[in-house]
Amino acid sequence: VVSDGYTKLDAGAIHGLVPRVMWEPIVGPENIDSEHRMKLALNCAVIRTGGATVLVDTGMGDKHGPQVRERQFPGDYGYLLAGLARIGLAPADITHVVNTHLHADHCGWNTVRRDADLKPTFPRARYVCAASEYDDATHPNERTRGTYFAENFTPLAQAGVLELVSGEHTVVAGVTFIPAPGHTAGHGVVALTSGGETALFTGDLAHSATQFERLAWLPAFDVLPMVSIETKRVLTARAVAERALIVSVHNPFPGAGRLVERDGRRVFVAE
Ligand SMILES: [Zn+2]
């Protein structure tokens, strides 16, 4: 897991319909800033298998002006390439980039600005995301417009490096993109299987440990909340049954843990 840093979003929006009196003791009032925002980590995953080096999600990136950095997505981010360098990876080493979805906090490093142009950051990579997500991202509406930044994905189509997939899709052996609709219609998670073990990179299936534990706790950001509940029902059951390592984008770095059943309740145990 490599971090791009963190952003801060409105804590009430992160908790959706759940009243503040219920979530605040769990989050901890000390973790809410003076503008009622809380930190969300920006965890990305690197998978090395065979000859492939797969990067899953790319954080916020470094292209943003003050409006985004100070108001819309405040925080401290832009560290993904430095994190990759620390584990010996240059942009040209990445063979595949997978985006769980195309919200601004998941695909920011897909592209970089070079002079007046926008270029794929990872020059040798194929970029994989759901075709329906790309459709929605390139045709945003009043509700979704604020988080789809075309600069993060349309240059990929222009460069001919975008691979738009439908349904379940094997990226490379052992790395599978699985549709997980709810947060967006085209949202997906990435399952890693190796030696009988499973890891799930969960994108925005949940924004916190509690949202893994409780099906009905959803962020206000989900565009299809009832679908989110059904998707979480299926994927959390799989996570429990397979004792899967969950890698969450927004849980504190590295965002990893397992969902275990204790006294009839599910508990997210960080690792
Ligand atoms: Zn997100």
Side-chain angles (χ1 to χ4, degrees), residues 75-217:
D76 188 15
Y77 47 74
Y79 300 108
L80 177 63
L81 296 193
L84 292 173
R86 272 198 298 280
I87 57 171
L89 290 173
D93 294 323
I94 304 297
T95 59
H96 302 76
V97 176
V98 183
N99 291 128
T100 58
H101 60 305
L102 294 174
H103 283 172
D105 53 326
H106 294 257
C107 62
W109 275 114
N110 279 10
T111 61
V112 283
R113 210 180 293 286
R114 293 268 162 71
D115 304 319
D117 277 351
L118 290 159
K119 300 274 186 210
T121 306
F122 305 99
R124 292 178 53 230
R126 303 285 305 166
Y127 286 71
V128 176
C129 91
S132 63
E133 179 69 12
Y134 190 78
D135 280 348
D136 288 344
T138 49
H139 301 85
N141 59 37
E142 292 80 357
R143 169 90 189 267
T144 63
R145 182 167 292 141
T147 186
Y148 283 131
F149 298 172
E151 61 185 14
N152 291 332
F153 41 81
T154 54
L156 305 175
Q158 285 154 10
V161 296
L162 194 56
E163 192 169 335
L164 298 175
V165 303
S166 299
E168 206 165 294
H169 174 80
T170 301
V171 180
V172 294
V175 181
T176 309
F177 179 88
I178 299 173
H183 181 64
T184 66
H187 179 266
V189 303
V190 177
L192 315 176
T193 51
S194 174
E197 292 189 284
T198 305
L200 294 171
F201 184 92
T202 51
D204 278 353
L205 183 69
H207 281 63
S208 69
T210 315
Q211 287 177 358
F212 285 107
E213 296 166 344
R214 304 180 193 191
L215 291 181
W217 284 41

